[in-house]
């Protein structure tokens, strides 16, 4: 691996419940009601709750190596070493809270489908029409007429999913990762260039994106440098004899082939009847699972994050052989900066790649033994940190340096092994997401006991 590629990944390193399509409307994706308006086709998560956060909330500093800078003109966030109720949304029930492993910005969707963004905004990724940082969640005015049910965050771009199965984007678009058909910056949430069946899931890598429709068809767009788009090319060409360029995909393009490699010569054969059910994007790699529980990965192969027992880049989605021997299939996949995770139907969690900055990597999937017996619901992935919502607890691990995203307190800022977050004991977390150095948790707040448990947490007021 080149030193530049390694440095980029170390510096800048999802899981929301996959929106479910209503069966009746899945048969008629273009149906309209009697008033002539399009029917909602995609349902977001059924849960809603109180937003609890921890980690680095100084958006100008997260992920930066140089801590020397002038004092800010206006107040900005601080580091939360333990979980806090997010003060600006204390009395607001949240349905979706999204960030990304290489992201310093966030998307919040309230119970009634209103969309708010906050955090870093150097490329207009908040969709607010400017490039000014927001410390407090701000309503995305250009989406006021839409009901948002999902979102995804890349390094400097964002995708928004509506209940009609349409996708909007904002932010950095130099590689076409916003999918609007060109490479111009997108400062206001704009509908992507895609026609077809309703989209039910969106995911972002650093400079690329993936969208999944209700028929199990996967589309990707953006930077193809390591094959992460799955179109059998890395898009490289020479602009001059010494300058390299890439043929970026500026609008969604369907992935046409899925393969498996067999025999000593790794002969490639197509895999038939692939109906993708979930997809996750790392910085420069992609992982997906189909309706038969088969897992595919492609893109940058460094540190074994593709799970093929080698570090070769893959230009086409390749089936991970390890899962062929498992008694139950995989139902969800997750991707961090240099690693991947999978959740099986029987509750087992598998990990491959590298979740630390030094030492050996797992070149193929291995079960996370410390999570055996836990009822895992949701997993968040960051640069080298992982957070898991299971039973009435939160479990996290990640090697130093960390920025409070594990919520373990100032006396224990990192952990090489899965460790329970004591302040979250007894709190039921519906969904958990991680940014580059922070964690977002949607916590159940329905019963009096739920509210009492949450009342013990401090409140973070900006």
């Amino acid at each position: 691996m080149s030193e530049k590629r390694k440095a980029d990944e170390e510096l800048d390193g999802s899981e929301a419940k996959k929106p479910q399509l209503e069966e009746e409307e899945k048969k008629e994706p273009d149906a309209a009601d009697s008033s002539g308006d399009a029917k909602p086709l995609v349902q977001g998560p059924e849960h809603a709750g109180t937003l609890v956060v921890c980690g680095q909330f100084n958006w100008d500093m997260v992920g930066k190596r140089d801590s020397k800078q002038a004092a800010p003109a206006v107040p900005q966030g601080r580091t939360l070493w333990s979980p806090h109720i997010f003060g600006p949304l204390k009395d607001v029930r949240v349905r979706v809270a999204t960030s990304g492993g290489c992201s310093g910005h966030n998307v919040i969707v309230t119970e009634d489908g209103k969309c708010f963004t906050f955090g870093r905004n150097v490329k207009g990724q908040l969709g607010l029409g400017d490039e000014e940082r927001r410390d407090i969640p701000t309503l995305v005015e250009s989406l006021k007429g839409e009901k948002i049910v999902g979102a995804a965050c890349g390094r400097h771009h964002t995708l928004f999913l509506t209940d009609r199965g349409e996708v909007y984007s904002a932010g950095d678009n130099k590689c076409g990762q916003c999918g609007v058909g060109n490479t111009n910056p997108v400062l206001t949430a704009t509908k992507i260039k895609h026609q077809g069946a309703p989209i039910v899931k969106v995911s972002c890598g650093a400079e690329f994106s993936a969208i999944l429709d209700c028929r199990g068809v996967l589309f990707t767009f953006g930077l193809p440098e390591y094959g992460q788009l799955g179109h059998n090319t890395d898009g490289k060409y020479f602009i001059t004899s010494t300058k390299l360029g890439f043929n970026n995909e500026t609008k969604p393009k369907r992935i046409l082939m899925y393969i498996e490699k067999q025999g000593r010569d790794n002969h490639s054969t197509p895999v038939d009847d692939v109906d993708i059910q979930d997809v996750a994007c790392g910085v420069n790699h992609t992982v997906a699972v189909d309706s038969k529980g088969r897992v595919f990965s492609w893109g940058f192969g460094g540190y074994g994050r593709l799970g093929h027992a080698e570090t070769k880049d893959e230009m086409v989605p390749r089936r991970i052989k390890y899962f062929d021997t498992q008694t139950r299939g995989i139902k969800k996949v997750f991707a961090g900066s240099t690693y991947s995770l999978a959740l099986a139907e029987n509750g087992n969690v598998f990990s491959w790649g590298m979740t630390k900055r030094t030492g050996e990597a797992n070149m193929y999937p291995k079960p996370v033994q410390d999570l055996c017996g836990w009822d895992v619901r949701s997993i968040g992935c960051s640069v080298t940190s992982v957070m898991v919502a299971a039973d009435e607890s939160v479990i996290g691990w990640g090697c130093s340096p960390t920025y409070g995203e594990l919520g373990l307190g100032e006396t224990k800022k990192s952990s090489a092994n899965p460790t329970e977050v004591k302040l979250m004991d007894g709190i039921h977390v519906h969904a958990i997401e991680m940014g580059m150095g922070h964690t977002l948790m949607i916590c159940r707040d329905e019963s009096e006991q739920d509210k009492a448990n949450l009342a013990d947490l401090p409140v973070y007021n900006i």
Side-chain angles (χ1 to χ4, degrees):
M1 185 193 309
S2 71
E3 291 298 321
K4 180 180 183 301
R5 185 185 300 179
K6 181 176 179 181
D8 287 344
E9 293 204 345
E10 288 179 346
L11 176 63
D12 278 341
S14 25
E15 136 60 45
K17 179 180 177 182
K18 178 182 175 181
Q20 298 297 313
L21 195 72
E22 296 180 15
E23 285 301 319
E24 179 180 353
E25 291 160 344
K26 184 175 180 179
K27 298 175 184 176
E28 300 179 1
D30 298 320
D33 60 23
S34 58
S35 65
D37 295 330
K39 284 185 178 180
L41 299 176
V42 183
Q43 293 181 332
E46 296 177 358
H47 60 249
T50 298
L51 182 62
V52 173
V53 300
C54 58
Q56 172 64 275
F57 281 78
N58 182 335
W59 307 115
D60 291 336
M61 295 306 304
V62 61
K64 301 292 183 65
R65 288 178 174 173
D66 184 8
S67 60
K68 298 179 180 179
Q69 66 176 36
V74 295
Q76 55 185 347
R78 58 188 176 89
T79 300
L80 306 176
W81 295 104
S82 61
H84 287 61
I85 291 175
F86 192 53
L89 297 174
K90 182 180 179 182
D91 299 318
V92 177
R93 302 196 79 219
V94 172
R95 194 176 295 279
V96 175
T98 297
S99 189
C102 55
S103 308
H105 66 288
N106 312 270
V107 180
I108 303 296
V109 180
T110 61
E111 192 172 21
D112 56 1
K114 292 181 180 178
C115 183
F116 296 80
T117 55
F118 69 103
R120 188 179 294 176
N121 194 29
V122 293
K123 299 292 184 178
Q125 57 262 46
L126 300 186
L128 302 174
D130 58 40
E131 297 180 353
E132 297 179 7
R133 185 194 77 242
R134 299 297 198 284
D135 294 312
I136 296 176
T138 304
L139 181 68
V140 183
E141 294 285 344
S142 55
L143 296 174
K144 282 181 70 173
E146 302 289 345
K147 183 176 181 181
I148 304 302
V149 296
C153 299
R155 179 171 289 150
H156 295 305
H157 76 290
T158 310
L159 298 183
F160 306 91
L161 175 64
T162 75
D163 66 344
R164 295 206 299 263
E166 297 173 340
V167 180
Y168 289 76
S169 64
D172 188 14
N173 192 37
K174 66 183 178 183
C175 300
Q177 61 263 50
C178 283
V180 295
N182 55 52
T183 55
N184 300 324
V186 182
L187 299 184
T188 302
T190 303
K191 188 183 295 187
I192 69 170
K193 296 286 185 181
H194 176 73
Q195 293 181 339
I199 300 301
V200 296
K201 177 73 185 287
V202 294
S203 185
C204 293
E207 280 91 25
F208 73 102
S209 306
I211 58 175
L212 174 65
D213 74 15
C214 63
R215 294 167 181 160
V217 179
L218 189 60
F219 302 81
T220 57
F221 45 101
L223 179 69
E225 183 175 3
Y226 306 103
Q228 62 263 44
L229 300 187
H231 301 315
N232 199 26
T233 178
D234 59 9
K236 292 180 181 177
Y237 71 96
F238 282 100
I239 300 174
T240 67
S241 60
T242 58
K243 186 177 180 180
L244 194 65
F246 297 92
N247 288 312
N248 300 313
E249 291 291 342
T250 61
K251 54 186 178 180
K253 181 178 179 180
R254 179 176 179 172
I255 292 180
L256 298 175
M257 183 178 291
Y258 298 81
I259 65 169
E260 57 184 338
K261 294 185 178 180
Q262 299 174 334
R264 293 182 178 179
D265 60 350
N266 266 345
H267 178 67
S268 298
T269 57
V271 178
D272 297 327
D273 301 321
V274 176
D275 174 17
I276 299 297
Q277 297 296 297
D278 192 26
V279 60
C281 298
V283 174
N284 289 309
H285 77 288
T286 311
V287 187
V289 59
D290 73 355
S291 57
K292 298 180 181 178
R294 300 176 294 190
V295 182
F296 301 85
S297 63
W298 61 99
F300 185 42
Y303 298 123
R305 75 199 70 184
L306 300 184
H308 302 306
E310 58 184 347
T311 59
K312 179 184 176 183
D313 295 354
E314 297 289 342
M315 305 293 164
V316 177
R318 176 182 173 185
R319 185 176 177 179
I320 299 179
K321 288 183 178 180
Y322 174 86
F323 292 113
D324 294 348
T325 62
Q326 302 305 302
T327 55
R328 290 181 180 270
I330 300 302
K331 61 179 182 179
K332 293 180 182 179
V333 288
F334 312 87
S337 173
T338 56
Y339 63 92
S340 306
L341 293 163
L343 176 60
E345 292 176 355
N346 62 5
N348 288 337
V349 176
F350 298 86
S351 173
W352 60 99
M354 183 176 251
T355 57
K356 48 190 175 181
R357 287 179 167 85
T358 58
E360 295 183 357
N362 290 336
M363 301 302 294
Y364 58 90
K366 294 181 180 179
V368 182
Q369 298 294 347
D370 290 314
L371 295 179
C372 289
W374 289 88
D375 179 18
V376 176
R377 283 185 303 279
S378 182
I379 300 176
C381 301
S382 185
V383 183
T384 57
S385 299
V386 182
M387 291 284 273
V388 176
D391 294 320
E392 309 299 304
S393 300
V394 172
I395 302 164
W397 69 94
C399 294
S400 182
T402 55
Y403 305 94
E405 66 266 28
L406 299 179
L408 299 175
E410 288 197 62
T411 59
K412 185 178 175 62
K413 297 177 180 178
S414 61
S415 175
N417 301 309
T419 303
E420 288 187 62
V421 181
K422 295 302 182 183
L423 279 180
M424 297 299 291
D425 281 354
I427 296 177
H428 183 99
V429 176
H430 290 302
I432 194 164
E433 281 272 356
M434 297 190 77
M436 191 183 301
H438 65 285
T439 301
L440 309 171
M441 296 172 274
I442 300 176
C443 302
R444 190 176 65 193
D445 57 4
E446 297 165 4
S447 69
E448 291 303 318
Q449 185 61 53
D450 290 336
K451 295 175 182 177
N453 291 338
L454 288 169
D456 292 335
L457 296 178
V459 177
Y460 170 52
N461 289 310
I462 297 172

